[in-house]
Amino acid sequence: MERFDSVIFALAPIPMWLEDFSPVLARLDQLRAQGVTDLARYLTAHPHEVLNCARAVKVLDVNPKTLQLLSAQNVDDIQNNLTQIFREDIIPWHTAQLLAIWQRKLEFIGDTINYTLRGECLNLQVRGFVLPEHQHDFSKVVITTEDISEYKNMLRLEAKNRELAETLFQSSPAALLLYDLNAIRQCLEQLDLEHVSSAECYAQISACLDRLDLIKANQAALDLMQVTDIDHLKHNLDAIFWQDALKQFFCQSLAALWHSSQQQQGESHFIRLDGSTCHVYMQFNIFPSEPKWQLLQIALTDISAQKQAEYILEHLSQHDSLTGVYNRGHYMQEIQRLEQQAPKHLSCIYLDLNHLKPINDQYGHAIGDQLLQRVGQLLQRFIAGYPYFAARLGGDEFMILMPEVNQAQLAQHLAQLTQLLQHEQQHHEHALNVSLGAATQYPDESIHSMLQRADQNMYLHKQQYYQQNPSYERRKNG
């Protein structure tokens, strides 16, 4: 077998081959003579031709590094096992190599896969050039190889990790958004140089929101926001995401992230395209990177059901279940709030349902409950549109608190309430007989004292009612 007489070849620190490609060139010339003009299309249709050409190459010589790489004893060992070294994995590379020879290119480079005689897979970067004296027939081509298996394995591992990360991102039950923060970072870096205040920092972030680039949104995020795809979401970001409450929370979170930790979280809400409100728990995470602030991931958890449950529980804790107005506990909290707020004017109306006990005794508690419900409904109609407060204090007693209502306005409200009561009687078998007592807070008078005066006025009204209706004894009414 012909040897390549070169000390450099033998002592080279990288694997080198001396190969005879003249059989390959002859086969290509034969195909050209047969009318093949588009070799790439021909090889795609006849992939076996690629392997045949690869195995037709004659190995003239290899250096010791090649023998070591392939776990071979000598050149003959390699020549006799080309089918084991060159498998189907070589087709993409050798196709490119054949196209280069077809065009009479004298140099070529690319990546391929070979196998050692022990069956180990090698990722190689291959470079070849035709020696000057043999460019007419490609009978001597020097091939150098570099083992890039570790590099390729790293690329495969990186691709696998990216695929895993993408799968986790897309299949996460939490709604995930991924933003490019470069525009915001540039703004904030400039602001830090100018030593601006936190308020100015917040304002600058708010002004830069339109420069944020939404890179990804997983399916859970698209479903949460009721959009079809990320382009649909981007087109409607202003309508969905940058509403006042969420925009403020977003800017505050970014400002806090810039000056402190890598994470922020909290609750906010947005309005979907169908007009429904979605309450979310949001977690902001800045991915560690250099320079900092490259990527922001936002995780959104839908807490609308939780908020609805909290609202129901809060409503139940504050409202009387029978009448629908506030209960005594919330009434006491409202008194404390008014004491702290100290409005300029404050008036109240005390209501007490007359002869409820005889009605319960004669017609049953269901009828008595209906009377109480009618009082609650009437009070809610009465205060509708006003910042007033109606509560059931217990039994048949009710109270209306009216901030910023003076004595003259109280008189007007009493007349309106009396009219409502008279009108209400016309539509029911059992009439509502209510005793009323009202009062307006004097300057420097405590709220407690005003309530006592209203209570006294109510009992005076009740006393007059029983005097006018002697058939009902006071003691029977409780």
Side-chain angles (χ1 to χ4, degrees):
M1 182 174 288
E2 182 179 355
R3 301 289 177 177
F4 182 52
D5 187 16
S6 172
V7 175
I8 295 178
F9 181 83
L11 299 180
I14 60 172
M16 297 182 71
W17 304 56
L18 182 63
E19 299 181 352
D20 179 1
F21 274 78
S22 59
V24 175
L25 184 62
R27 175 57 182 159
L28 294 181
D29 288 341
Q30 184 182 17
L31 291 175
R32 199 188 304 271
Q34 293 173 357
V36 174
T37 57
D38 188 339
L39 182 64
R41 178 179 296 181
Y42 177 83
L43 294 178
T44 301
H46 304 83
H48 64 278
E49 190 77 58
V50 180
L51 283 176
N52 290 339
C53 287
R55 292 162 183 169
V57 174
K58 296 178 181 179
V59 180
L60 303 178
D61 201 359
V62 296
N63 70 349
K65 284 293 183 180
T66 302
L67 297 176
Q68 180 182 345
L69 179 66
L70 297 178
S71 304
Q73 299 296 322
N74 48 52
V75 177
D76 294 335
D77 207 6
I78 293 175
Q79 183 68 57
N80 295 333
N81 291 282
L82 288 181
T83 56
Q84 181 176 341
I85 297 172
F86 302 147
R87 305 182 188 180
E88 292 186 358
D89 312 61
I90 202 174
I91 289 178
W93 155 245
H94 202 64
T95 298
Q97 196 176 48
L98 290 176
L99 292 174
I101 297 173
W102 176 270
Q103 299 170 19
R104 291 298 197 273
K105 290 184 179 180
L106 303 178
E107 295 185 11
F108 39 85
I109 182 173
D111 295 347
T112 189
I113 294 176
N114 288 176
Y115 290 85
T116 70
L117 298 187
R118 292 201 295 254
E120 299 165 332
C121 180
L122 298 173
N123 289 98
L124 303 175
Q125 184 176 79
V126 181
R127 296 172 183 268
F129 62 92
V130 184
L131 293 180
E133 297 84 0
H134 303 273
Q135 293 177 358
H136 63 288
D137 61 358
F138 283 61
S139 58
K140 283 191 178 179
V141 179
V142 175
I143 304 291
T144 65
T145 63
E146 179 182 356
D147 188 357
I148 56 172
S149 299
E150 185 175 349
Y151 170 71
K152 287 291 187 178
N153 288 336
M154 290 176 60
L155 291 181
R156 282 189 284 268
L157 179 61
E158 181 183 6
K160 184 177 180 180
N161 288 337
R162 285 182 178 274
E163 182 180 359
L164 176 61
E166 179 68 16
T167 300
L168 292 174
F169 180 86
Q170 292 296 342
S171 61
S172 170
L176 299 177
L177 302 174
L178 192 63
Y179 277 95
D180 182 344
L181 283 179
N182 280 301
I184 296 288
R185 186 190 75 248
Q186 292 170 7
C187 292
L188 292 179
E189 285 175 343
Q190 184 63 31
L191 287 175
D192 277 357
L193 291 175
E194 299 172 3
H195 304 289
V196 299
S197 66
S198 297
E200 290 174 305
C201 179
Y202 171 87
Q204 187 67 20
I205 291 176
S206 180
C208 289
L209 284 182
D210 61 341
R211 296 168 58 188
L212 272 177
D213 183 16
L214 177 60
I215 302 173
K216 286 184 180 180
N218 69 353
Q219 189 60 47
L222 300 179
D223 293 341
L224 180 66
M225 298 183 185
Q226 296 182 343
V227 293
T228 55
D229 52 39
I230 190 169
D231 291 332
H232 190 196
L233 176 57
K234 286 182 176 181
H235 184 71
N236 290 281
L237 270 181
D238 286 343
I240 298 175
F241 217 58
W242 300 138
Q243 299 159 18
D244 290 343
L246 188 56
K247 180 178 180 180
Q248 180 179 5
F249 178 67
F250 189 94
C251 294
Q252 289 173 344
S253 298
L254 283 186
L257 283 168
W258 182 258
H259 290 106
S260 57
S261 64
Q262 294 294 109
Q263 297 182 349
Q264 285 289 319
Q265 56 274 323
E267 296 180 5
S268 188
H269 68 274
F270 62 88
I271 309 299
R272 296 187 178 100
L273 293 180
D274 65 358
S276 62
T277 299
C278 181
H279 293 269
V280 289
Y281 179 77
M282 303 179 68
Q283 295 173 287
F284 293 74
N285 294 280
I286 303 293
F287 286 8
S289 62
E290 285 298 334
K292 69 175 185 176
W293 271 53
Q294 294 282 338
L295 294 175
L296 166 68
Q297 178 177 278
I298 304 176
L300 302 96
T301 303
D302 187 355
I303 57 172
S304 300
Q306 175 186 331
K307 284 296 178 182
Q308 180 65 18
E310 290 176 359
Y311 170 79
I312 293 173
L313 290 174
E314 182 181 14
H315 183 87
L316 292 174
S317 69
Q318 295 179 350
H319 289 77
D320 178 61
S321 59
L322 179 63
T323 63
V325 296
Y326 287 113
N327 58 26
R328 185 178 185 87
H330 196 55
Y331 163 77
M332 298 303 296
Q333 293 177 2
E334 180 66 9
I335 294 296
Q336 293 177 357
R337 189 189 70 81
L338 290 171
E339 287 176 340
Q340 294 175 356
Q341 186 178 2
K344 184 178 180 180
H345 300 289
L346 179 63
S347 296
C348 68
I349 301 176
Y350 211 127
L351 300 90
D352 190 289
L353 187 59
N354 294 325
H355 54 79
L356 178 62
K357 186 177 185 303
I359 290 177
N360 283 334
D361 293 342
Q362 183 175 354
Y363 300 105
H365 285 275
I367 299 300
D369 287 348
Q370 289 178 10
L371 291 175
L372 292 170
Q373 289 171 341
R374 285 163 56 191
V375 174
Q377 293 166 3
L378 184 142
L379 293 184
Q380 291 181 69
R381 292 199 303 272
F382 174 70
I383 67 173
Y386 295 102
Y388 301 161
F389 182 97
R392 182 187 180 193
L393 304 186
D396 53 8
E397 298 179 351
F398 295 82
M399 173 65 77
I400 303 173
L401 297 172
M402 296 176 289
E404 306 304 340
V405 171
N406 58 31
Q407 193 164 1
Q409 293 168 324
L410 174 61
Q412 295 175 358
H413 282 316
L414 273 172
Q416 294 168 358
L417 181 58
T418 302
Q419 285 182 345
L420 275 176
L421 285 166
Q422 292 173 349
H423 179 73
E424 207 273 346
Q425 314 291 14
Q426 302 173 11
H427 306 286
H428 298 279
E429 178 182 356
H430 300 281
L432 281 181
N433 290 295
V434 177
S435 296
L436 302 175
T440 298
Q441 187 178 21
Y442 297 138
D444 300 325
E445 182 186 24
S446 69
I447 294 179
H448 179 70
S449 175
M450 176 198 66
L451 295 174
Q452 283 185 323
R453 288 193 295 108
D455 188 30
Q456 292 169 359
N457 292 336
M458 183 273 295
Y459 276 104
L460 288 174
H461 189 198
K462 183 178 285 289
Q463 188 176 16
Q464 293 173 2
Y465 172 79
Y466 283 116
Q467 289 174 353
Q468 296 170 3
N469 298 273
S471 61
Y472 292 103
E473 298 179 14
R474 175 73 181 88
R475 58 185 176 80
K476 290 182 180 180
N477 289 274

